[in-house]
């Protein structure tokens, strides 16, 4: 799978997003639209960013009864995004329903990923609050395998877990990893972070980067630095 850098568009409104995207004159970065922007602006923001030529990861992390997720995915499949996701905790049956709903009549569909365990969930909370007695690596491995059994294309996980997912599910199973920081930048509220270069060496296919790019003095340079550190000499500018 092609390596790429996905910019997390964590902005509260369309105005801020366009001011940010307008800075990019030579590249069309792959972008992630999350709950904040989607709930603020609705599906129109997705259509507009797509029309500008960006690839889109719609990060809505669906988790509900299978029938509801199937119907919601049928609606999302019309938005022509490149990637969407669900929580693996919703069960294999729910993930299968998501895949069904997402698949268009002609058989095409966006990539579908599963969130294993959120990087904000600690092993202690998992045990005490969620009553999951297994270790974090065992849980992530099992959830990734469930998602693979359901027919999904890969998972969203910590860059620290990408290698174990590849090991359990094979090299073609996609790993998309947030929690990325430059060696010299602040970690913000992310507790377990990795540099772009280490993420690549650790098995991440796609990295999701928010604040190190969106809050940089010069976001275009920060994006280019990120691509260079992550992709290296493979290609100079992502398409
Ligand atoms: O600003 P920062 O680089 O921390 O942004 C990371 C992005 O990835 C945010 O949009 C956040 O919601 C998302 N994310 C994450 N950890 C996860 C899943 C998604 O940080 N486990």
């Amino acid at each position: 799978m092609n390596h790429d850098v996905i910019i997390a568009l964590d902005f509260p409104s369309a105005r801020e997003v366009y001011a940010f995207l307008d800075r990019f004159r030579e590249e069309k970065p792959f972008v992630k639209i999350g709950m904040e922007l989607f709930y603020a602006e609705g599906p129109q923001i997705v259509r507009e960013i797509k029309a500008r030529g960006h690839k889109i990861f719609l990060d809505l992390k669906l988790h509900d009864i299978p029938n509801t997720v199937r119907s919601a995915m049928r609606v999302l499949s019309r938005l022509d995004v490149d990637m969407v996701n669900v929580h693996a905790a919703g069960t294999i049956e729910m993930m299968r329903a998501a895949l069904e709903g997402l698949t268009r009549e002609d058989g095409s569909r966006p990539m579908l990923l599963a969130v294993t365990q959120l990087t904000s969930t600690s092993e202690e909370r998992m045990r005490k609050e969620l009553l999951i007695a297994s270790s974090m690596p065992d849980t992530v491995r099992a959830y990734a395998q469930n998602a693979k059994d359901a027919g999904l294309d890969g998972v969203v996980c910590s860059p620290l877990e990408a290698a174990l997912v590849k090991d359990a599910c094979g090299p073609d199973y996609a790993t998309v990893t947030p929690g990325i920081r430059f060696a010299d930048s602040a970690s913000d509220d992310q507790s377990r972070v990795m540099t772009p270069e280490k993420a690549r060496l650790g098995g991440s296919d796609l990295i999701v980067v928010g604040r190190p790019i969106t809050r940089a003095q010069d976001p275009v340079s920060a994006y280019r630095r990120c691509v260079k550190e992550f992709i290296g000499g493979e290609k100079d500018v992502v398409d």
Side-chain angles (χ1 to χ4, degrees):
M1 114 151 273
N2 288 336
H3 290 84
D4 209 344
V5 173
I6 304 178
I7 304 180
L9 296 178
D10 292 324
F11 295 102
S13 74
R15 194 173 53 81
E16 278 104 330
V17 171
Y18 294 135
F20 174 78
L21 290 178
D22 285 345
R23 291 166 170 266
F24 291 85
R25 298 187 183 279
E26 289 172 33
E27 301 99 338
K28 288 283 179 199
F30 198 146
V31 297
K32 179 172 89 69
I33 297 177
M35 294 183 200
E36 183 186 15
L37 188 58
F38 190 77
Y39 291 152
E41 299 289 348
Q44 192 54 24
I45 189 82
V46 176
R47 294 187 195 102
E48 282 170 21
I49 292 177
K50 191 77 200 174
R52 284 172 167 237
H54 296 271
K55 279 188 171 177
I56 298 177
F57 170 17
L58 189 55
D59 177 21
L60 299 180
K61 299 188 182 74
L62 274 65
H63 186 177
D64 208 318
I65 59 170
N67 190 54
T68 301
V69 170
R70 184 187 295 109
S71 313
M73 283 297 185
R74 197 164 289 137
V75 176
L76 294 184
S77 76
R78 292 184 210 127
L79 280 177
D80 195 25
V81 294
D82 299 277
M83 198 183 271
V84 294
N85 59 358
V86 292
H87 271 285
T91 75
I92 294 176
E93 191 193 352
M94 188 207 77
M95 290 190 272
R96 286 205 177 115
L99 202 62
E100 256 175 56
L102 203 57
T103 307
R104 305 181 189 102
E105 275 185 11
D106 64 1
S108 68
R109 63 168 174 83
M111 269 180 88
L112 179 59
L113 305 173
V115 176
T116 52
Q117 275 294 346
L118 291 173
T119 44
S120 52
T121 308
S122 65
E123 209 168 88
E124 193 192 358
R125 285 218 163 112
M126 221 168 66
R127 195 175 54 247
K128 284 193 181 154
E129 296 176 28
L130 308 180
L131 307 185
I132 297 172
S134 304
S135 69
M136 182 64 80
D138 285 351
T139 309
V140 169
R141 190 181 295 111
Y143 282 23
Q145 276 165 337
N146 286 351
K148 194 175 180 199
D149 287 352
L152 272 62
D153 305 296
V155 292
V156 183
C157 63
S158 155
L160 299 157
E161 291 147 5
L164 82 83
V165 169
K166 291 280 186 190
D167 198 43
C169 300
D172 296 335
Y173 199 59
T175 50
V176 178
T177 65
I180 302 294
R181 289 296 178 269
F182 293 120
D184 54 5
S185 68
S187 56
D188 305 304
D189 61 346
Q190 297 280 15
S191 51
R192 302 190 303 151
V193 298
M194 229 187 226
T195 62
E197 190 186 3
K198 289 212 172 108
R200 168 71 192 272
L201 296 172
S204 298
D205 294 313
L206 296 148
I207 52 173
V208 174
V209 188
R211 286 160 291 182
I213 295 174
T214 55
R215 303 226 181 134
Q217 280 292 64
D218 179 350
V220 177
S221 301
Y223 171 72
R224 287 182 182 155
R225 175 182 173 190
C226 202
V227 169
K228 196 156 175 239
E229 287 188 15
F230 185 57
I231 300 175
E234 196 177 288
K235 55 180 179 174
D236 291 333
V237 179
V238 289
D239 48 30

